[in-house]
Amino acid sequence: MKITEFTLKNRALSHFIFMIILFGGVFAYLKMGKLEDAPFTIKQALVMTQYPGASPQEVEEQVSDILEEAIQSLDELDYVISENRAGLSKITVYVKKEIRAEAMPQLWDELRRKVNDAQGKLPPGAHSIVNDDFGDVLGVFYGVSGEGFTPRELDDYSKKIKNEVLKLPGVAKVERYGVQVPTVDVILSPGKMGEAGISMSELVAVLNSQNKVFDAGTINTPTNRVRIAPTGNFSSFNDIKNFMIPAPNGENIRLGDIAKIEEGYMKPFTNKLKINGNDAIGLAVSTVEGGNVVVMAEAVKARLESLKAELPLGIEIDNVYDQGMESAKANDGFIINLIMSVATVVAILLFFIGFRTGILISSGLVYAILATLLVMFGEGIALQRSSLAAIIIAMGMLVDNAIVVADAILINLQRGMSRKDAVFKAVKVSAMPLLGATFIAILTFLPIYLSPHVTGEYFSSLFIVIAVSLFLSWIFAITQTPLYCDEYMKKPKSTGDGTDPFAGGMYLKFRKVLTEFIRRKWLVAAGLVVLLATALAGFNYIPKVFMPDLEKTVFTVNIWAVEGTKIEKMEEMLDEMNEYVESFDEVVQTTLTVGQTPPRYYLANVSFGPMPNFGHMIVETHSFEEVKKIKEELTEGLRERFPETVIKTSLFASMPPYEADIEARFNGPDDQVLDSLVNEALEIMKSNPKAQMFRNEWKNQVMVWQPELDQQRARLANINVGNISNSLRAYADGTPIGVFRDEEKQVPIVMKTESALENGFSTYENAPIWGMGTTTIPLNQLTSGQEFSWEFPMIKRYNRERSMAAQCDVMPEYTKSEVLEELKPLIEGIELPEGYTMFWDSEYKSQKEAMEALTAYLPLAMILLVTILIALFANYKQPVIILLILPLSLIGVSFGLLGTGKEFGFNSIIGWLGLLGMIIKNVIVLLDEANIQKADGKSHFEAIVNATVSRTRPVLMAALTTICGMLPLLPDSVFGSMAATIIFGLSFATLLTLLAVPALYAIFYNVSVANTPQSTIQELEEH
């Protein structure tokens, strides 16, 4: 080829280019971004709307329904889910899977416009916020704590640390979590208020006007315009105490004389963070897009260490999760595996083909890897789990191109050709078949790259790296390999007399075996069919796990208490749980959040809350072995001690976990019918001994107290519903009545009463209610009675329909797929009323979507693959032979997964696709050699035997290098099943290439050993 000729003619330039690639690849590795896992876009946005005082049904009807109607006009919308709680609407917007990351910002802008346009239709007091960045990963997570320090002090110190961290290069943003909102509590005395003749409405109006910012205008001078800035706003805590309130009698009453003024915190709090049982404030740090999280995390760690000297004694800064350290560990582990794999490949090559030739071929592998790193650096592809795995997956195919060319050159030299002729003939014969095989190998991964599912985005770098590395390996096979072989390959002893270099003891035995397989071709075909059927049946006994868990030293515990549990009680319960967890010797640190999950410190985390009955715990141990040792014992211990709670422990995974392992979701208009259907499904779940933790997604109903307002009495007392609500709230948590500006802080002023009522309904019946006057009226004089009712605390909707799910988890010794298969026919047999539907949600839905997205582009890949095969061979028989061999590779895969106990999942499928590329490449080169032999006048029998024998050494070398290169990945938690698929699949596929392909060739070309002259058979067997 011309490119080979150019390389050999311009040796100095060629060596210079290879040197640039060598040093450029090393430079790229040192400078390129490094991440723990491949990034993918969370294609969700949250629309949060506060509607204080509204019931879940009122929130559903007056807020969520209006917003969902506006949101559904988005062309890119996939589906929408809303959770309606008292006073809060939480709408999660899911866009179509095929929307790529670069289109998301514009889409979220459109969503924001639609939500803003709908604000005018919402009831007074309701206001929406669109959160489209809650999917951002803040992968460096620290906690600032200090025993004996107040929340205000922790707030100040954490803010100082945040400002320092923001100055560091590579830091994009810093979010704080668990900050307790400070308040100024004005605790009123109704008696003193009445004596002074001051009404609550007057007090609220005066306080609001006092601390409000007003524009006083300017003073015009002949040359300037001077701004007028009158003082008098509250500037200190004492200013509020000494504030004078005008009384009706003309006197001014000091606020501190009629109320207690205290510093407090907003109740109930929304969320809280605790580290090892101590109150803390979280600092979650994200890196800039495309940045090196390892470098950024090290800079943050170093700065925090230096800041400790500036902080008071007792302030602790604890690491909760360090993505930089995790990325470094993941990358270091993969680099070690990569080095081991390369070393293994080199050792095998040296064994098969000699030291010098082995080094020459191995150098092509090194160049291909370094050139791939250079391209990755230029394209901004970081080193992470998927991209590094891609290099290891491709390694066998990378070295295969060089093996074929170098082996052909070696054989030509053995046949007495000159170096130049040996090189050019080897390249001429091999280049196009290898190019076609390389493109086909790339095409096998195309459905993954085109998949619109999140798995497609997660593995997109895998496809790109494999495509780039394979194409580069072909380039090096026809440039660098010929050049190095021409300059450095030791010329073997030439036979000169035309003796076949493939004559000899091992080749002689193989020829006889091969002849027998061709002789019994139909028996071979039948045996393969039986083996395939057995292997497919064996898949029923292989555990099915869509995406495996990761081997980390930490795991998480999600806790849901009974609905209606107040957040203060939840905190007490979580403190007790924390004490139990800390009793394990293996536990190094516990991080506890109350009310909702922490910021997304790991990409595949899932968000829960805000909800007062929820808690989240991050448990850190010394090693993953300790995690496996204590996880189930800890879970069972918590469930025994807190039987009323739902407790779900999870390992970290590549994909986001779900609230429940299995969910049967029912949709329809009436919540009572939905409840009945869910209960029926739960009874079925409970009958399965492999399932556990059965619950209704809407949880239990909660009590609501409803005092019935007597409108006539209320009008006579000049009291309305707002007066009653504010007065009752003041007796409980307090009513915000203004804002105190403390430098950059806006501290709420909260009105409370000194006789705050904590417990019991009877005391509330006599609660004094403030009206427009200066006196209070007991509540029971304004009501005609009271009643208690029950309601679901949360109403969930799926695509604007009410939706309720029956949930359960799976016992540790079983897989989700096997339990689901047992439940499906029973639950799907439930008779649904008209207007009601049911589908399987949770992980099953995600798996189904992922597989549908993957298989959607398989036809395209197959059409392109067959097109290339037909173009290469210019016939139909040989492409059909190749296509028939591909499913037979499942025989090795099935027995391999069964033997190793590895699970079958998405990664196994990726491994199988890579395996197909390797098989196709080997068979293409074999059949192409058979065509060359046939063109030289050989019979079909002679052609296939000679071609197979000539391909034996390169096929075995490529197979062994790939298999041994995969061995370091076999124990890996994520890619172990993929490695097992390739190792055992390729082992059997090698036998298929060398034995089954000749048998199928004999069937398709009607080759009969019986009709072949005995002299020809004897000559072939003794050649």
Side-chain angles (χ1 to χ4, degrees):
M1 294 184 72
K2 290 185 178 180
I3 187 172
T4 308
E5 185 178 351
F6 178 85
T7 303
L8 294 177
K9 281 185 177 180
N10 300 273
R11 294 173 185 267
L13 177 62
S14 299
H15 282 299
F16 178 70
I17 292 173
F18 295 144
M19 192 65 65
I20 290 175
I21 292 171
L22 184 65
F23 288 103
V26 175
F27 174 83
Y29 170 72
L30 296 174
K31 294 295 183 181
M32 67 197 311
K34 295 176 177 66
L35 297 171
E36 179 183 2
D37 264 306
F40 58 87
T41 306
I42 305 292
K43 298 176 183 177
Q44 305 168 19
L46 288 180
V47 181
M48 305 286 287
T49 308
Q50 298 278 353
Y51 185 21
S55 67
Q57 183 172 343
E58 289 171 333
V59 170
E60 174 197 22
E61 295 171 349
Q62 299 176 32
V63 176
S64 294
D65 189 62
I66 293 170
L67 292 175
E68 288 170 356
E69 183 179 357
I71 292 167
Q72 76 174 8
S73 62
L74 278 173
D75 294 334
E76 298 84 357
L77 180 69
D78 188 6
Y79 60 96
V80 61
I81 294 177
S82 67
E83 295 179 14
N84 304 278
R85 295 180 174 272
L88 177 66
S89 163
K90 177 183 176 183
I91 300 176
T92 307
V93 181
Y94 297 81
V95 299
K96 293 176 180 176
K97 308 294 186 298
E98 56 267 25
I99 305 299
R100 289 293 179 178
E102 56 270 13
M104 299 302 291
Q106 183 177 351
L107 176 57
W108 296 144
D109 287 341
E110 186 179 354
L111 171 66
R112 196 172 284 104
R113 286 195 299 270
K114 291 184 179 297
V115 171
N116 288 339
D117 291 343
Q119 294 303 293
K121 300 178 182 178
L122 299 182
H127 179 69
S128 304
I129 297 175
V130 178
N131 180 6
D132 58 12
D133 63 355
F134 85 107
D136 292 353
V137 179
L138 298 100
V140 179
F141 190 23
Y142 284 86
V144 180
S145 61
E147 192 171 355
F149 288 86
T150 66
R152 276 182 170 82
E153 290 170 326
L154 291 178
D155 183 11
D156 292 336
Y157 294 131
S158 66
K159 187 175 294 183
K160 176 183 177 181
I161 296 171
K162 172 184 175 179
N163 292 336
E164 291 299 317
V165 171
L166 281 170
K167 298 175 184 177
L168 297 174
V171 171
K173 66 178 179 179
V174 180
E175 284 186 10
R176 295 191 304 155
Y177 176 90
V179 177
Q180 301 307 297
V181 179
T183 61
V184 174
D185 295 340
V186 179
I187 306 174
L188 302 175
S189 169
K192 292 180 179 179
M193 289 277 288
E195 291 175 6
I198 299 173
S199 68
M200 180 182 288
S201 59
E202 291 172 339
L203 177 61
V204 171
V206 172
L207 285 174
N208 273 330
S209 62
Q210 176 64 24
N211 215 38
K212 190 174 182 180
V213 176
F214 292 96
D215 183 6
T218 59
I219 298 175
N220 292 319
T221 70
T223 57
N224 297 311
R225 188 183 294 272
V226 180
R227 186 174 67 86
I228 303 173
T231 61
N233 290 345
F234 298 137
S235 59
S236 69
F237 186 71
N238 286 328
D239 286 349
I240 301 177
K241 280 186 177 181
N242 297 323
F243 181 62
M244 306 304 289
I245 309 293
N249 60 8
E251 294 183 6
N252 288 320
I253 308 296
R254 181 174 168 270
L255 181 58
D257 293 335
I258 59 173
K260 293 179 183 177
I261 314 298
E262 298 178 351
E263 293 186 85
Y265 300 95
M266 187 65 74
K267 292 183 179 180
F269 59 86
T270 304
N271 56 61
K272 186 175 283 190
L273 176 72
K274 293 190 170 188
I275 297 179
N276 294 329
N278 297 320
D279 287 350
I281 292 179
L283 292 171
V285 188
S286 68
T287 187
V288 294
E289 187 175 356
N292 189 328
V293 70
V294 176
V295 175
M296 185 274 285
E298 289 175 351
V300 171
K301 182 179 180 180
R303 185 67 184 109
L304 293 180
E305 285 296 325
S306 65
L307 281 173
K308 286 182 179 179
E310 304 174 20
L311 297 172
L313 190 65
I315 291 290
E316 300 289 339
I317 303 177
D318 298 294
N319 175 248
V320 178
Y321 189 85
D322 189 341
Q323 189 188 28
M325 183 179 68
E326 295 292 334
S327 300
K329 284 197 297 187
N331 278 273
D332 290 346
F334 265 96
I335 291 301
I336 291 172
N337 287 340
L338 185 60
I339 292 171
M340 291 173 59
S341 298
V342 172
T344 305
V345 168
V346 172
I348 291 171
L349 290 174
L350 297 182
F351 174 79
F352 266 93
I353 210 165
F355 180 81
R356 183 176 295 187
T357 307
I359 292 295
L360 294 179
I361 296 175
S362 302
S363 66
L365 172 63
V366 174
Y367 277 118
I369 292 173
L370 291 175
T372 301
L373 292 176
L374 199 55
V375 174
M376 289 170 61
F377 178 66
E379 292 298 315
I381 300 174
L383 280 176
Q384 27 78 3
R385 204 181 303 270
S386 291
S387 58
L388 283 168
I391 295 175
I392 297 178
I393 292 171
M395 192 175 301
M397 292 181 279
L398 294 181
V399 76
D400 196 19
N401 286 331
I403 286 174
V404 171
V405 174
D407 186 69
I409 293 172
L410 187 63
I411 296 301
N412 290 340
L413 290 173
Q414 287 177 338
R415 286 173 172 161
M417 293 185 186
S418 66
R419 278 187 180 275
K420 183 177 180 181
D421 291 341
V423 168
F424 280 107
K425 183 177 181 181
V427 173
K428 181 180 179 181
V429 170
S430 306
M432 292 313 296
L434 288 178
L435 179 62
T438 298
F439 275 121
I440 287 175
I442 292 171
L443 283 175
T444 57
F445 289 94
L446 183 63
I448 296 174
Y449 179 72
L450 296 178
S451 168
H453 193 263
V454 64
T455 49
E457 189 174 357
Y458 181 82
F459 288 109
S460 62
S461 61
L462 182 140
F463 168 79
I464 294 171
V465 173
I466 285 179
V468 169
S469 60
L470 287 181
F471 183 71
L472 287 173
S473 75
W474 180 79
I475 295 292
F476 286 116
I478 61 173
T479 55
Q480 180 264 338
T481 300
L483 176 63
Y484 280 27
C485 286
D486 183 54
E487 292 188 350
Y488 305 114
M489 180 179 279
K490 184 179 179 181
K491 189 170 183 177
K493 293 180 180 179
S494 173
T495 57
D497 57 358
T499 304
D500 194 334
F502 299 107
M506 293 300 296
Y507 286 116
L508 179 61
K509 293 179 181 179
F510 179 64
R511 286 175 186 272
K512 290 182 178 180
V513 172
L514 187 57
T515 301
E516 284 303 308
F517 268 75
I518 294 174
R519 190 192 308 276
R520 306 174 190 277
K521 54 185 179 293
W522 288 108
L523 182 61
V524 171
L528 289 174
V529 171
V530 172
L531 280 175
L532 180 60
T534 305
L536 293 176
F539 273 99
N540 294 323
Y541 302 96
I542 298 173
K544 311 295 190 304
V545 178
F546 183 62
M547 291 296 286
D549 295 321
L550 304 178
E551 294 183 357
K552 290 182 177 289
T553 60
V554 293
F555 64 96
T556 62
V557 186
N558 288 321
I559 306 108
W560 289 268
V562 175
E563 285 287 354
T565 303
K566 64 180 183 179
I567 198 165
E568 293 85 359
K569 180 64 178 177
M570 187 68 193
E571 181 182 7
E572 294 176 10
M573 187 188 305
L574 291 171
D575 285 339
E576 294 178 35
M577 291 185 178
N578 189 71
E579 288 182 13
Y580 170 71
V581 172
E582 287 184 330
S583 67
F584 285 80
D585 294 335
E586 294 83 358
V587 174
V588 176
Q589 177 178 288
T590 60
T591 302
L592 192 66
T593 65
V594 189
Q596 65 183 111
T597 46
R600 193 182 297 271
Y601 58 90
Y602 179 69
L603 181 59
N605 277 0
V606 66
S607 174
F608 293 112
M611 56 182 79
N613 63 319
F614 175 77
H616 177 82
M617 188 181 295
I618 305 169
V619 183
E620 181 182 357
T621 65
H622 298 92
S623 65
F624 181 67
E625 286 67 30
E626 290 186 348
V627 170
K628 292 189 293 185
K629 176 183 176 182
I630 70 169
K631 177 175 172 287
E632 296 307 325
E633 181 186 351
L634 183 147
T635 304
E636 290 304 315
L638 287 174
R639 288 174 179 170
E640 289 175 5
R641 287 164 174 77
F642 304 92
E644 296 297 319
T645 60
V646 173
I647 296 173
K648 184 174 176 60
T649 55
S650 303
L651 299 176
F652 281 66
S654 301
M655 292 288 126
Y658 292 88
E659 184 177 345
D661 293 342
I662 297 174
E663 285 188 7
R665 181 166 299 284
F666 296 86
N667 296 337
D670 188 275
D671 56 2
Q672 298 302 319
V673 176
L674 291 174
D675 190 42
S676 174
L677 293 171
V678 165
N679 286 333
E680 190 173 348
L682 286 173
E683 289 302 315
I684 295 173
M685 290 177 174
K686 290 175 183 177
S687 65
N688 191 309
K690 301 176 183 178
Q692 62 176 342
M693 299 303 293
F694 314 97
R695 67 261 192 197
N696 184 326
E697 180 187 33
W698 288 22
K699 307 296 189 299
N700 56 284
Q701 292 190 340
V702 296
M703 182 184 295
V704 180
W705 181 54
Q706 295 175 314
E708 298 176 7
L709 180 64
D710 187 313
Q711 295 290 347
Q712 185 174 357
R713 295 181 189 176
R715 281 196 297 270
L716 290 174
N718 200 17
I719 289 175
N720 55 38
V721 176
N723 299 138
I724 295 175
S725 299
N726 287 331
S727 298
L728 291 175
R729 187 175 177 187
Y731 277 86
D733 300 316
T735 301
I737 59 172
V739 172
F740 165 50
R741 289 178 177 81
D742 182 9
E743 297 179 353
E744 79 279 6
K745 298 178 185 176
Q746 293 195 17
V747 181
I749 300 174
V750 178
M751 182 187 68
K752 298 182 177 181
T753 71
E754 61 183 11
S755 56
L757 305 176
E758 291 291 339
N759 302 301
F761 295 104
S762 59
T763 54
Y764 272 86
E765 294 178 16
N766 298 312
I769 305 300
W770 295 91
M772 300 304 292
T774 60
T775 59
T776 60
I777 300 175
L779 177 63
N780 59 10
Q781 294 184 15
L782 300 170
T783 58
S784 57
Q786 56 178 295
E787 65 177 31
F788 294 93
S789 62
W790 295 86
E791 68 179 10
F792 282 108
M794 189 264 296
I795 298 174
K796 192 164 188 174
R797 288 156 59 104
Y798 184 94
N799 276 345
R800 304 192 67 194
E801 267 194 315
R802 286 191 173 182
S803 180
M804 188 182 294
Q807 300 176 325
C808 71
D809 293 331
V810 175
M811 291 287 190
E813 59 269 29
Y814 304 102
T815 64
K816 301 169 191 175
S817 58
E818 80 175 287
V819 177
L820 180 63
E821 287 304 312
E822 295 176 6
L823 293 175
K824 279 183 73 174
L826 300 174
I827 293 180
E828 289 176 359
I830 295 175
E831 185 176 349
L832 300 179
E834 186 177 352
Y836 290 81
T837 58
M838 176 266 171
F839 70 90
W840 294 99
D841 205 349
S842 188
E843 187 173 306
Y844 173 81
K845 180 173 178 284
S846 179
Q847 290 180 15
K848 183 180 177 183
E849 290 173 348
M851 294 309 300
E852 288 174 352
L854 178 66
T855 55
Y857 291 95
L858 275 177
L860 172 63
M862 287 300 299
I863 290 171
L864 293 174
L865 186 151
V866 172
T867 302
I868 294 174
L869 289 176
I870 294 174
L872 279 174
F873 293 108
N875 63 61
Y876 295 114
K877 289 183 178 180
Q878 290 172 341
V880 171
I881 291 173
I882 294 174
L883 295 176
L884 287 175
I885 286 293
L886 298 183
L888 296 175
S889 63
L890 290 172
I891 298 171
V893 173
S894 176
F895 289 116
L897 293 177
L898 281 170
T900 58
K902 295 290 184 180
E903 70 281 352
F904 180 78
F906 200 82
N907 287 336
S908 303
I909 295 172
I910 291 174
W912 185 60
L913 293 177
L915 175 64
L916 297 183
M918 301 173 200
I919 296 171
I920 291 171
K921 177 175 285 190
N922 284 331
V923 179
I924 283 177
V925 178
L926 188 153
L927 293 178
D928 184 72
E929 178 64 25
N931 291 339
I932 294 172
Q933 296 274 341
K934 190 71 176 63
D936 287 341
K938 301 288 195 304
S939 67
H940 281 300
F941 178 68
E942 294 173 295
I944 192 61
V945 171
N946 288 336
T948 304
V949 170
S950 68
R951 281 294 295 160
T952 301
R953 183 168 63 179
V955 166
L956 289 176
M957 279 195 295
L960 275 175
T961 53
T962 303
I963 290 168
C964 294
M966 280 287 161
L967 286 175
L969 272 182
L970 197 57
D972 188 83
S973 60
V974 176
F975 293 106
S977 61
M978 181 180 68
T981 299
I982 294 177
I983 289 171
F984 293 96
L986 186 57
S987 298
F988 187 78
T990 302
L991 297 177
L992 291 175
T993 302
L994 297 178
L995 297 172
V997 170
L1000 290 177
Y1001 183 93
I1003 291 174
F1004 275 82
Y1005 287 95
N1006 198 26
V1007 175
S1008 173
V1009 177
N1011 295 332
T1012 303
Q1014 190 63 34
S1015 58
T1016 302
I1017 297 174
Q1018 186 174 356
E1019 181 183 351
L1020 285 172
E1021 291 182 346
E1022 297 178 357
H1023 206 44

